[in-house]
Amino acid sequence: MSGAGAPVLTVDGRGLHVVVVAASWHTQVMDGLLDGARRALRESGATWSEVRVPGSFELPVAAARVAGLPDGAAGDPSARRPDAVVALGVVIRGGTPHFDYVCSAATTGLVDVSVSTGIPVGFGLLTCDDEAQALDRAGLPGSREDKGHEAVQAAVATAVALR
């Protein structure tokens, strides 16, 4: 498991706004990731909104759009540019190279969003060999890890550090 050696983060995100961009494939796993993310956001005190996209391949374009919008975008004066974005998704290896292309494109795209906008992007994209690995990382009852929670903590902690 990759959880060994992970830092224990306690983050005060009061005053921050986070946008969670979440894929829709693999409903059970995504429900767990979203629950963990929401719990971490409540614990941090940050406000948040959510954007759903079809799959993990679409995460970078949605993250880029929300990270690049100026305050008051789309005619909504209450809208504000997020202090952090959290991307949640899951890709499970199949019998074709599709897995490699989607994982590589999504990862590179999310890094590009973060670097080009200066807004932290929490990486909650599970790239698993099988469904059992995804379930074990989804933060569900019986899971050994809670990657949705961890992705929020990392994004909020980075946003605080960059203040």
Side-chain angles (χ1 to χ4, degrees), residues 82-138:
D83 299 291
V85 174
V86 175
L88 302 176
V90 60
V91 185
I92 298 175
R93 188 179 301 278
T96 69
H98 183 258
F99 172 88
D100 299 310
Y101 299 134
V102 172
C103 294
S104 179
T107 300
T108 300
L110 292 170
V111 169
D112 288 348
V113 168
S114 186
V115 171
S116 68
T117 64
I119 293 176
V121 176
F123 189 74
L125 175 62
L126 303 183
T127 56
C128 301
D129 288 326
D130 54 46
E131 186 176 10
Q133 287 180 348
L135 292 168
D136 204 31
R137 290 162 174 78

Side-chain angles (χ1 to χ4, degrees), residues 1-101:
M1 289 306 276
S2 61
V8 176
L9 299 174
T10 303
V11 218
D12 182 355
R14 289 176 292 181
L16 298 181
H17 182 71
V18 177
V19 176
V20 177
V21 180
S24 299
W25 277 78
H26 305 290
T27 304
Q28 184 180 13
V29 173
M30 288 307 304
D31 287 348
L33 291 173
L34 278 164
D35 286 346
R38 291 172 185 140
R39 191 175 72 260
L41 286 159
R42 281 191 301 275
E43 290 168 0
S44 77
T47 63
W48 76 90
S49 55
E50 297 176 13
V51 175
R52 294 303 294 264
V53 296
S56 295
F57 188 80
E58 291 78 26
L59 292 172
V61 70
R65 176 63 61 93
V66 299
L69 290 177
D71 288 347
D76 180 357
S78 66
R80 62 181 271 206
R81 189 172 190 210
D83 299 291
V85 174
V86 175
L88 302 176
V90 60
V91 185
I92 298 175
R93 188 179 301 278
T96 69
H98 183 258
F99 172 88
D100 299 310
Y101 299 134

